Amino acid sequence: MIDLRALVNDTAADNSESFVHDFLESCKIKKRRTIKEFAEDELRIPDGPFKGMKYQTKRQPVFASWWDHVDAGTYNRFAITGPTQSGKSYQCFVIPILYCLFELKETVVVGVYDDAMARDKWEQDLLPAIKESSFADELPTRGQGSRGGGKVKSVTFKSGVTLRFMMGCAGEKARAGFTARVLAATEIDGMDKESEREGAIIDQMEVRLKASDVKKIVFLECTVSNEEGRIWNEVQNGTNSRAIMPCPHCDKWVQPEFEDHHGWQDAKNALEAERALFHCPKCRRPWSEEQRKDAIGKYRLLHEGQVLGDDGTISGEVKPTRTFSLRLSAVHNLSLIH
């Protein structure tokens, strides 16, 4: 005969132990992951040739230095520029936003020029990245952000954190209506206009951050439109860092630029253009794509104020600034490896 009383008591004991275990687990302080750990643990590539695959820093290794400086806490402003289709928007705009929202549990203000850009950034960049992440179930089922189309001004996730778009074309009152500690702004050259009373629009957005200058976090991303544009000035006024690499031929440490990419200018068709190669700006010899990949894997950051020795050693002090800034070239983009 089954002893129902004993069975009930045993079940109650098991439930009690399970409750205590779950309670103690919930009391543990969760270790905050680095932004690199977060990205590799939680995110999957939303589009392109690696769509659906787990994010891996090694696919674009130069961005590892970006993550390291974000995590170090030495700087609280981060500005990056580089060519289009280089992955910088995903790496340095989308991922920081997702990290602040879902790992730091911080409300984030996203600086964009107008409603149309807000909708594009949400529907084309942020929403696909969230859907491909482990945080897809945090998406709202009602209200803004729960369905496509229409204006997107504010998205509140199930965890309670909010993503708020702040428009550069709006008046000062609209930009004054919402504050947070984190600002991520994209295509900022379009928001470098002066308003009548409060200066450049991007500065107004930054002033709205409720925390002190030391605690606020600002991410700025844009392709250079001209040397008078805001992103160029941000990079120049920051650490003005470059990712230099050793030439496989002369061993000099260099960063090939657009003008060092030869072979596409006289190409008769797209296939010929794809065979264009970067050349060393010192010895002028071409790098094969395998040589370029190997060189990128050996890159070092050279900040303004530092001196590069002939043997590749770096010495000197980085200039004092609160902004870590990085200027990339197409040579750093491993997605161009065929």
Side-chain angles (χ1 to χ4, degrees):
M1 178 180 294
I2 298 175
D3 188 342
L4 293 179
R5 183 179 301 174
L7 181 60
V8 170
N9 288 339
D10 288 344
T11 302
D14 290 343
N15 288 340
S16 177
E17 289 180 6
S18 177
F19 173 79
V20 171
H21 176 269
D22 292 345
F23 174 75
L24 292 176
E25 286 295 314
S26 68
C27 290
K28 291 182 179 179
I29 298 176
K30 183 181 178 182
K31 179 185 176 183
R32 193 189 81 179
R33 290 172 290 186
T34 66
I35 192 167
K36 189 189 306 181
E37 291 170 339
F38 168 84
E40 294 190 333
D41 287 348
E42 308 289 357
L43 305 184
R44 293 182 179 273
I45 306 300
D47 52 34
F50 300 110
K51 177 177 171 59
M53 298 177 65
K54 292 193 71 173
Y55 173 85
Q56 294 182 16
T57 308
K58 67 181 182 181
R59 292 198 185 102
Q60 294 280 41
V62 174
F63 290 106
S65 292
W66 176 269
W67 304 140
D68 291 342
H69 282 82
V70 171
D71 288 317
T74 305
Y75 305 95
N76 69 317
R77 301 178 79 254
F78 304 90
I80 189 167
T81 190
T84 58
Q85 304 301 317
S86 62
K88 71 180 185 306
S89 292
Y90 179 72
Q91 307 265 359
C92 302
F93 175 72
V94 173
I95 291 181
I97 290 174
L98 301 192
Y99 179 69
C100 291
L101 286 171
F102 301 121
E103 182 72 8
L104 303 186
K105 307 297 183 183
E106 293 262 9
T107 287
V108 177
V109 169
V110 178
V112 292
Y113 180 70
D114 57 15
D115 291 331
M117 185 183 291
R119 184 175 61 252
D120 287 346
K121 292 301 175 184
W122 171 249
E123 294 183 353
Q124 297 179 19
D125 295 342
L126 292 165
L127 182 57
I130 296 172
K131 285 183 174 180
E132 287 288 347
S133 77
S134 58
F135 302 101
D137 58 356
E138 293 284 343
L139 286 165
T141 55
R142 300 177 60 185
Q144 292 188 26
S146 61
R147 53 189 178 275
K151 292 183 179 180
V152 180
K153 186 174 183 181
S154 180
V155 179
T156 299
F157 298 91
K158 292 179 181 178
S159 62
V161 295
T162 298
L163 179 72
R164 170 65 180 255
F165 288 96
M166 188 174 287
M167 316 301 172
C169 65
E172 289 92 337
K173 289 183 178 180
R175 287 188 287 275
F178 192 88
T179 57
R181 192 174 76 95
V182 181
L183 169 67
T186 184
E187 300 185 35
I188 65 171
D189 279 5
M191 293 185 285
D192 199 29
K193 301 175 181 178
E194 299 285 329
S195 68
E196 294 181 359
R197 293 181 295 176
E198 297 191 37
I201 291 170
I202 195 68
D203 292 330
Q204 294 176 40
M205 290 181 177
E206 192 167 336
V207 166
R208 300 299 184 261
L209 299 185
K210 65 183 179 183
S212 67
D213 284 347
V214 175
K215 293 183 178 180
K216 70 184 180 183
I217 305 174
V218 178
F219 299 99
L220 305 172
E221 177 271 324
C222 188
T223 298
V224 172
S225 56
N226 59 71
E227 293 190 0
E228 285 74 45
R230 180 58 179 259
I231 192 63
W232 182 255
N233 284 305
E234 287 284 355
V235 169
Q236 296 295 309
N237 292 329
T239 58
N240 198 13
S241 306
R242 294 183 297 135
I244 57 173
M245 299 161 289
C247 172
H249 305 295
C250 67
D251 294 326
K252 298 295 184 182
W253 287 79
V254 294
Q255 177 174 308
E257 303 288 351
F258 175 78
E259 57 269 21
D260 300 308
H261 194 219
H262 299 294
W264 58 270
Q265 295 91 336
D266 300 322
K268 297 177 181 178
N269 52 58
L271 291 178
E272 283 190 10
E274 288 180 359
R275 291 195 285 269
L277 297 174
F278 283 95
H279 289 57
C280 173
K282 295 291 186 180
C283 71
R284 310 308 305 169
R285 295 179 66 184
W287 294 5
S288 71
E289 291 294 74
E290 284 303 314
Q291 289 174 326
R292 180 166 75 92
K293 182 178 180 180
D294 182 65
I296 292 172
K298 300 174 182 177
Y299 83 92
R300 299 175 184 174
L301 280 192
L302 180 67
H303 310 291
E304 184 176 324
Q306 293 184 319
V307 178
L308 175 67
D310 291 337
D311 59 353
T313 58
I314 295 175
S315 59
E317 297 294 325
V318 183
K319 69 178 181 181
T321 175
R322 287 182 176 173
T323 303
F324 171 68
S325 60
L326 181 60
R327 180 174 64 84
L328 298 179
S329 163
V331 73
H332 301 113
N333 187 6
L334 282 186
S335 66
L336 296 180
I337 298 286
H338 303 296

